[in-house]
Each structure stands twice: as structure tokens, then as C-alpha cells.
Amino acid sequence: MTRTRLHHRPEWRHRAALAGLCHPPHTPGLRTTGFEDPRAHGVRCSRGRPVLLITVGLEVRISVARWGGDAPVSLGAMWPNGSLPGPCFRPMNATITAQERRLIASPWFAASFCVLGLGSNLLALSALAGAPAPRSSFLTLLCGLVLTDFLGLLVTGAIVVAQHAALFAWQAADPGCRLCHFMGVAMVFFGLCPLLLGAAMASERFVGITRPFWRPAAPGRRAWATVALVWLAALALGLLPLLGLGRYSVQWPGSWCFLTLGARREDVAFGLLFALLGGLSVGLSFLLNTVSVATLCRVYHDREAARQRPRDCEVEMMVQLVGIMVVATVCWMPLLVFIAQTLLQTPPVMSSSGQLLRATEHQLLIYLRVATWNQILDPWVYILFRRSVLRRLHPRLSSRLRALTLHPPPAQAPPSGP
């Protein structure tokens, strides 16, 4: 008697044909376990051979028992290059067709989104390049922020647009999870860098406003060294899953990779570390910017101090920095709070097999898209919130901008006596 056992496990679309497992209807002794009707789950016979259609979330394992014991059939024929699925693949909540995936994220929308972001950052970089020399530390850090946003959209956008355009099966195209790991590192790196650079810019303005007579040597080099330090810190955090702390996995609808919201200690530790570091960066920026704005207001009302430090550019830089902080808070805090809330929820949201609820998958995708807008809006904060631009857009604002200056109005001479 030949007995065929079918076990299911979510994976990617693939076809496999194994000889000797399909029998005519009159063949006695054929029994299946695991599914009531194999044909209802993508298993059908064609010319005496089984054709197994493995959709998203379905891997079929087959073993054959002949009288004495089990003779397992090799799974190498079922996956590309004769290999098992990589560690980045986990069960999806349900199958999804190519048409449904196009409705979720069309390639035209993804391409337009990337072109808009790349064009905005290039415009901001050209404006920063035209700034008069020597550039301040603030403008250098801002240049590093815009450059980071540009590279982030270029790297991650290229992968997402290619996936949406070709609709390739990630399991077939990347069985070893190298591309998924690369994208996961890029998502964490380019996600944390703007938050960390925002905190660095807030620290620079805090020191520059509260200690106006302290000037570091070679401010441009020091600022670029700060940008490099932020890049190294974000890269080190992004590489932790490759060293065993946390995992990167393909996320619904199968077009991007990110950290895994699992119940393992490693996944929880890495996810909370990512959310905590991002949240602390936003909180530090808020605290330092609040103190800097309060100091500027006090200087504005103190005419004697304003005469000693006539700096109109400080108001302009603080307006831009507050705008960058507001954009980062609105775009990133929902995702950071969602990650921490999901990982700390009891019972765990992810099942023991690695499956998330469909509602959780939808929310993660929405919050990620909101966070991506940070890379598009950052350059426009600098482009639009400049005095020269505001005066061109609305000439009447010139008199209002003078009211925000740190220069006090000239004192009137006392009337001469008789």
C-alpha cells in the first residue's frame, strides 16, 4: 500500500512534478492525510504525474511509505537551485494574486513616489550647494540629512519599484534571502539616520544659541564627522539581525523586507531597540528645540543682548529645524509606537508558526508608507522656509520677517532741550 501524506506550510508560488505519486482512480490503497481533498489545495494529476501548485503561504511536503517504512522524497526539486526556503520567509495570512498586489501598490504609484522624492532632494541639494561659503555646521548637517534621504529613496525605491513592475516571487528570485537582508538593513539604516541627524542638528543649535561665543575649530569637518558617526551607528544597528539579534523577513504583500514582529526574545529585543532609539531621538530633538526657541525669544525681548548678537540667520535656522522635527514626529512616531505596542502585546500577535494577523499586516504597511513621506518632506522644509523664497512668494512678508529679526529697532534720540 502506498500512502501519501501532505503537510502545509506558507511559502511562495512554485510548481513541482514528482513521478510515481499519481494513480488512476481504480488504483486501490491510495490514501491522503492532512487535506480532505488534495485537488482543492492545488494538487492535481496530469498524465499520471502530480502537479503541485504552491501559492503564497503554501509549501507541500510529500513522503511515501511502502510497506516497511517511510522513504522521504527530496524537497530539493520543489525549490529553486535545489534549496530549502531561507530564514526570511514566514507564513502569510492568506494567498494574494498578482491582480490584488497591483491594486495594493501599482508600479506607477511607486515609481511616481520615488521620482518625486528624488527630485525634491536633488532640488534641496542644489540649493544647499549654492549657499555662500563658509557654511555653518547646521547647513552641513542639513546637507547630510538631505543626502541620506536621497540615497534611501534611491536604494529602497529601486527594489520596491522593480518588484511591483515585475511581480517576481521573492522565494524564487532570492531563495538565500540575501536581497531581503540587504533591504532590511537599508530600511533600518535609512529610517534611523534622519531621526539621529535631527537630534544632532538640534544639539548643534542648542549649543550655538545658548553658548554664542563658543566656536569649534573647523566646524565643517566636525559636522561631517558627526554625519559619519550617525551613519556608522545606524549601520551597526541594522547589521544586528545578521549577527543573530532579530530577523528580517518578507512582509505582506511580499514586496518589501523589514524587522520581524515576532515573539522570540531576539525579535522583541531588536524591535524595541529600534523603536526606543528612534523615539529617544525625536524626544531629544523636541527638548533641545524647545530650549533653543525659548532662548531666542528671551534674546529678542532683551534689546541689550540683541545688540551684542545681531543674528537673523538663527531665527531662520530654528524655523527650519522645528519644521524638520514636526515632519519627523508626524511621520515616524506612529510606526515606532506600533512596533513597540505589537511586540509588547500579550498574548503575542505573531503565532508560533510566524503568522501575523491580516489587520496587523495592513497597519504595518500603512505606517511604513507614512514614515516614507519623511524623506520627501524634509527637503521641502529647507526649500520653502527660507527668507528669500518667502519674500518671492509673498512680498508683503518682508515687513513681517523683519519683525522676527533679532535686530532691535533703532532707538530714538531724546528731544533736545531749549
Side-chain angles (χ1 to χ4, degrees), residues 100-378:
E100 291 173 342
R101 188 181 298 178
R102 288 186 181 276
L103 293 176
I104 295 172
S106 68
W108 298 109
F109 174 80
S112 302
F113 190 87
C114 290
V115 169
L116 175 62
L118 294 175
S120 302
N121 285 279
L122 284 177
L123 184 61
L125 286 174
S126 62
L128 286 168
R135 297 182 181 87
S136 63
S137 299
F138 177 82
L139 289 182
T140 304
L141 292 174
L142 183 59
C143 183
L145 173 64
V146 175
L147 180 61
T148 303
D149 289 339
F150 175 81
L151 294 176
L153 285 171
L154 183 63
V155 173
T156 59
I159 300 175
V160 173
V161 171
Q163 207 285 334
H164 287 324
L167 289 179
F168 62 82
W170 207 297
Q171 173 67 58
D174 183 33
C177 295
R178 293 184 179 87
L179 180 61
C180 183
H181 290 162
F182 173 78
M183 187 176 185
V185 173
M187 294 287 287
V188 171
F189 174 81
F190 291 112
L192 277 181
C193 277
L195 303 180
L196 295 176
L197 287 174
M201 294 166 65
S203 302
E204 190 277 336
R205 282 293 81 213
F206 173 79
V207 174
I209 292 175
T210 57
R211 298 183 179 182
F213 300 105
W214 182 78
R215 290 290 180 270
R221 293 182 180 180
R222 186 182 293 268
W224 280 117
T226 302
V227 174
L229 183 62
V230 168
W231 286 349
L232 288 176
L235 181 61
L237 183 68
L239 292 175
L240 287 180
L242 304 185
L243 302 177
L245 183 62
R247 293 174 298 164
Y248 292 124
S249 59
V250 179
Q251 305 293 333
W252 186 86
S255 58
W256 58 295
C257 288
F258 196 50
L259 56 88
T260 304
L261 301 179
R264 296 183 181 180
R265 294 181 179 179
E266 297 81 4
D267 297 337
V268 174
F270 179 70
L272 291 180
L273 181 61
F274 174 80
L276 182 62
L277 187 57
L280 288 178
S281 300
V282 174
L284 181 62
S285 300
F286 178 80
L287 177 62
L288 296 179
N289 289 335
T290 302
V291 176
S292 300
V293 170
T295 303
L296 279 180
C297 293
R298 186 174 65 251
V299 171
Y300 170 69
H301 289 291
D302 188 353
R303 297 192 175 189
E304 184 63 27
R307 288 193 186 95
Q308 297 176 3
R309 199 174 80 185
R311 287 196 166 219
D312 296 347
C313 61
E314 288 186 346
V315 174
E316 181 182 13
M317 287 189 290
M318 279 309 306
V319 171
Q320 295 171 354
L321 185 55
V322 170
I324 292 174
M325 180 193 68
V326 171
V327 169
T329 303
V330 173
C331 292
W332 272 101
M333 284 308 296
L335 177 61
L336 298 177
V337 172
F338 174 76
I339 291 175
Q341 181 181 4
T342 303
L343 292 174
L344 296 177
Q345 186 171 343
T346 304
V349 176
M350 180 174 287
S351 64
S352 58
S353 62
Q355 191 174 17
L356 284 174
L357 298 176
R358 174 56 64 89
T360 304
E361 293 175 338
H362 283 186
Q363 290 176 341
L364 180 60
L365 180 61
I366 292 174
Y367 290 142
L368 189 278
R369 289 178 174 177
V370 173
T372 308
W373 276 99
N374 181 69
Q375 298 173 316
I376 296 179
L377 297 178
D378 272 345

Side-chain angles (χ1 to χ4, degrees), residues 78-113:
M78 299 181 63
W79 305 106
N81 302 325
S83 60
L84 292 175
C88 63
F89 300 100
R90 60 177 184 80
M92 297 291 178
N93 189 272
T95 61
I96 180 172
T97 63
Q99 183 179 2
E100 291 173 342
R101 188 181 298 178
R102 288 186 181 276
L103 293 176
I104 295 172
S106 68
W108 298 109
F109 174 80
S112 302
F113 190 87

Side-chain angles (χ1 to χ4, degrees), residues 405-417:
T405 182
L406 296 180
H407 292 292
Q412 297 181 355
S416 58

